[in-house]
Each structure stands twice: as C-alpha cells, then as structure tokens.
Amino acid sequence: MERDSQLELYRVVADRLKEAHTVVRELQVPEGVRMALSRKLLVITAAAKHDLADAARRLDRLMKDLEEGRFPEDD
C-alpha cells in the first residue's frame, strides 16, 4: 500500500514538473531569468531522486513565486 502512494506521489510531482517547465517556457521574461528558472527546475528534478517530499515542497514554493510574479534576478 505504501508503495502505491509513493508511486502516486512520483506521478504527481512528475506531472507538476512538466507543467512548471511549460509555464517557464511561456513566460515573457528576459532569457537570463528563464535560464535561472530552468536551473531551479533541474535542481528540483534532481532532488526528487533523493527526497521526493522535499522536491514537492520546493516545486510548490517555486510555483507560488511564479504565480505572485517573484522571479530570480537576471544573470
């Protein structure tokens, strides 16, 4: 039973990461900001391999920041 819930969490996080990549790709922001956001998504993806719950929390924070218009500085 626990394995099923873990698999479901993987699916949910994977779907949300895919959605987040689409959102970042479609943002009207300078290329440096887009690259910084893409790097954050790559870090979250890597974190999911080791700590899925932490990756989900990080993704929640990133998506909330995007929804509220908070973007990283342009490099």
Side-chain angles (χ1 to χ4, degrees):
M1 188 69 145
E2 184 177 325
R3 179 173 158 77
D4 290 341
S5 64
Q6 186 75 358
L7 288 174
E8 178 63 17
L9 184 55
Y10 271 112
R11 187 191 63 74
V12 168
V13 171
D15 288 347
R16 292 189 60 232
L17 277 167
K18 184 177 178 181
E19 177 185 331
H21 277 279
T22 300
V23 167
V24 167
R25 188 173 48 250
E26 294 175 352
L27 284 174
Q28 299 296 316
V29 295
E31 190 60 27
V33 172
R34 186 179 332 283
M35 289 175 63
L37 290 168
S38 293
R39 282 191 300 272
K40 285 179 180 260
L41 287 172
L42 289 174
V43 168
I44 293 168
T45 301
K49 296 175 185 177
H50 305 285
D51 187 343
L52 191 56
D54 181 54
R57 285 188 296 273
R58 288 180 184 205
L59 185 55
D60 286 342
R61 282 192 306 267
L62 176 63
M63 295 307 291
K64 184 175 182 189
D65 285 347
L66 293 180
E67 289 170 6
E68 294 177 359
R70 290 191 303 264
F71 304 110
E73 295 292 318
D74 191 358
D75 291 339

